[in-house]
Amino acid sequence: MQRTGIILLNWNAAKETTGCVRDMQTFLPPEATMYVVDNKSNSADRARLRLQQDCRDVVFIWNDKNLGYAGGNNVGIRR
């Protein structure tokens, strides 16, 4: 069985990230898993991301430091 995973990176852009999550959820197959990897955003941005109702069925990964684009994606892939 194939599994589908979508990885979105966030760094101080909770509004844009939740908009992208909302848009992606409209066409993803039900068995797909969406991962949002936060690359050590500021505390206000992380709080906004945590409060978003649009982010249902999303796996959040909260990095302790900004790992950059490749590093953030690798964390999501490993999950």
Side-chain angles (χ1 to χ4, degrees):
M1 178 179 165
Q2 276 189 315
R3 294 175 42 188
T4 302
I6 304 298
I7 300 168
L8 298 173
L9 296 181
N10 179 67
W11 184 69
N12 294 323
K15 181 179 177 184
E16 292 83 0
T17 298
T18 55
C20 186
V21 166
R22 191 176 326 111
D23 291 344
M24 296 287 291
Q25 286 176 329
T26 62
F27 68 86
L28 284 178
E31 68 276 3
T33 304
M34 189 176 315
Y35 300 90
V36 173
V37 179
D38 181 80
N39 256 343
K40 187 67 171 149
S41 295
N42 63 51
S43 58
D45 193 74
R46 282 186 172 199
R48 279 191 292 275
L49 203 54
R50 284 187 177 105
L51 293 174
Q52 294 304 310
Q53 297 297 324
D54 295 332
C55 293
R56 68 190 188 290
D57 302 324
V58 174
V59 177
F60 286 96
I61 302 168
W62 308 99
N63 288 338
D64 292 333
K65 64 181 183 174
N66 188 332
L67 301 174
Y69 181 78
N73 275 301
N74 287 335
V75 168
I77 290 168
R78 280 192 294 273
R79 175 68 66 89

